[in-house]
Amino acid sequence: MKILAIESSCDETAAAVVEDGVRVCSNVVATQIAEHRLYGGVVPEIASRRHCESIAAVTEEALEQAGVALPELDALAVTYAPGLIGALLVGVNFAKGLSLASGKPLIPVHHIRAHIAANYLAHPDLKPPFLCLVVSGGHSHLIEVKDYTEFRIIGRTRDDAAGEAYDKAARAMGYPYPGGVAVDQAAGRGSPTYRLPRPQVEGSSFDFSFSGLKTAVLNLLNQAAQKGEKVRKEDLCASFQLAVCDILADRLMRAAESTEYCQIVLAGGVSANSGIRARMESECRERGLQLFVPPLCYCGDNAAMVGSQAYFEAQGGRFAGLDLNAAASMPVDQAYF
Ligand code: KG4
Ligand code: ZN
């Protein structure tokens, strides 16, 4: 089954052709990062406009690189939630138009489900059920993936997402948006010599809280500036990264122990982080758990992961009509159907 998938939930316009949920025939991503960087973060109105400008060309490029024409496809798929509403609407309306014009069925895909499915593209041996830690710019969730389209959220962030905390701490240290990669690289050159908090969420073993950690970084920088002291940025990055790793490892390993899953999966843009990957690798090895991480090219937003999840949604007959709407927020376990 060949699916043309479209993704426009944030600041990447992407299209891909994916066969049977696992074979990527093409994967085209047009990023808007350079423009949003001027403002220190994603400007929703600019994101929507750029999606409008590039979506047709990105889609044509994906078809061309895959060597398929529209009539040869079995279905179309689009990310309909969650994300920036104006950005999502561009992809959803474009996909609906294409579906109407071509007569191809349309599969609505939840963005977080797609991030999880990025793992199926690289690990043919990975099959649900498993426990997944999703860490991205907008989301931090611990999810039981009971089946390809059956999910249960067992932990979540109470405030900032992990990527958001990375980007805000990075910005305060003077790194350009999105600062996650810069902090990761700087951390590799520093030592974790600053003391930073590991906030716990009262009454929950699996929830996260990152805003206190981010605020601790901002306070440390402000106090140093007031006293005229120099901050060793690379050491601060290493300290921040260690705190994030400690928090994520604690919740993920507790959840693994309590749910007894032996397959552990990482997903989302922050799963590209070298410290988090190495830490989860050693935590899982110690406990005899099998860890799956997406290849770096499928960690951030892309449409290949949307095409993968779409295949599994289609197996369950989950198609949308032309009344499909976008939604800015939508829990992963209560998707469209
Ligand atoms: O999944 P994604 O592309 O978008 C959302 O769905 O939110 O994630 C983007 C986030 C950004 O916050 C970015 O800074 C972060 O992923 N990120 C990283 C790394 N690479 C990307 N954070 C930490 N370390 C990295 N190596
Ligand atoms: Zn994403």
Side-chain angles (χ1 to χ4, degrees):
M1 183 179 196
K2 264 194 189 143
I3 297 175
L4 168 68
I6 291 166
E7 154 69 40
S8 69
S9 66
C10 190
D11 56 355
E12 331 278 358
T13 318
V17 175
V18 181
E19 197 170 357
D20 296 337
V22 289
R23 201 176 82 76
V24 181
C25 308
S26 67
N27 185 33
V28 179
V29 182
T31 182
Q32 308 171 359
I33 282 180
E35 190 167 4
H36 295 294
R37 186 169 282 161
L38 302 173
Y39 305 94
V42 177
V43 183
E45 179 60 22
I46 293 178
S48 310
R49 284 166 187 251
R50 296 298 167 259
H51 285 310
C52 286
E53 286 162 11
S54 41
I55 197 157
V58 166
T59 304
E60 277 173 9
E61 179 74 25
L63 288 172
E64 199 181 311
Q65 284 187 17
V68 290
L70 202 52
E72 298 165 52
L73 295 167
D74 297 293
L76 308 172
V78 66
T79 304
Y80 75 101
L84 299 172
I85 190 67
L88 286 164
L89 279 168
V90 177
V92 166
N93 283 313
F94 184 81
K96 286 204 289 190
L98 216 51
S99 170
L100 183 64
S102 64
K104 302 289 173 188
L106 180 60
I107 308 158
V109 176
H110 188 284
H111 186 72
I112 302 298
R113 293 186 179 199
H115 269 301
I116 298 169
N119 282 281
Y120 304 136
L121 296 172
H123 308 297
D125 49 329
L126 174 65
K127 290 182 175 55
F130 54 80
L131 178 66
C132 185
L133 172 68
V134 181
V135 272
S136 76
H139 312 273
S140 297
H141 282 119
L142 264 173
I143 300 174
E144 272 188 72
V145 181
K146 292 168 171 279
D147 207 338
Y148 292 101
T149 56
E150 201 190 330
F151 305 81
R152 190 168 82 93
I153 300 174
I154 58 170
R156 69 185 78 225
T157 181
R158 293 291 181 96
D159 37 59
D160 291 350
E164 200 179 345
Y166 260 98
D167 294 342
K168 287 177 178 169
R171 187 176 176 175
M173 286 187 265
Y175 295 109
Y177 172 84
V181 185
V183 172
D184 187 6
Q185 288 166 352
R189 299 188 298 270
S191 309
T193 48
Y194 289 102
R195 279 170 61 103
L196 294 173
R198 273 89 171 132
Q200 299 276 346
V201 176
E202 219 181 290
S204 164
S205 317
F206 306 142
D207 282 358
F208 317 96
S209 165
F210 289 108
S211 99
L213 173 60
K214 168 202 70 189
T215 306
V217 171
L218 302 191
N219 288 345
L220 192 147
L221 289 165
N222 287 338
Q223 281 162 14
Q226 278 167 6
K227 292 184 202 155
E229 288 171 7
K230 203 170 152 358
V231 172
R232 301 178 310 279
K233 255 180 15 180
E234 293 173 346
D235 290 350
L236 184 54
C237 287
S239 310
F240 177 80
Q241 186 136 309
L242 180 60
V244 173
C245 287
D246 283 348
I247 295 167
L248 294 177
D250 174 75
R251 308 303 189 275
L252 181 57
M253 292 306 128
R254 272 191 221 217
E257 198 172 309
S258 112
T259 57
E260 297 183 354
Y261 286 110
C262 13
Q263 299 186 111
I264 309 296
V265 175
L266 303 186
V270 183
S271 68
N273 184 274
S274 62
I276 295 172
R277 289 166 93 100
R279 174 67 174 271
M280 299 312 168
E281 187 65 57
S282 69
E283 297 272 352
C284 286
R285 202 180 320 113
E286 258 172 42
R287 293 169 175 79
L289 304 170
Q290 199 180 0
L291 180 72
F292 297 86
V293 294
L296 292 180
C297 62
Y298 298 135
C299 286
D301 289 347
N302 65 86
M305 65 186 195
V306 178
S308 175
Q309 182 60 26
Y311 171 77
F312 299 107
E313 300 287 351
Q315 300 305 298
R318 296 181 174 82
F319 294 94
L322 292 176
D323 57 349
L324 175 67
N325 203 357
S329 56
M330 171 77 64
V332 70
D333 51 355
Q334 288 166 32
Y336 187 63
F337 303 94

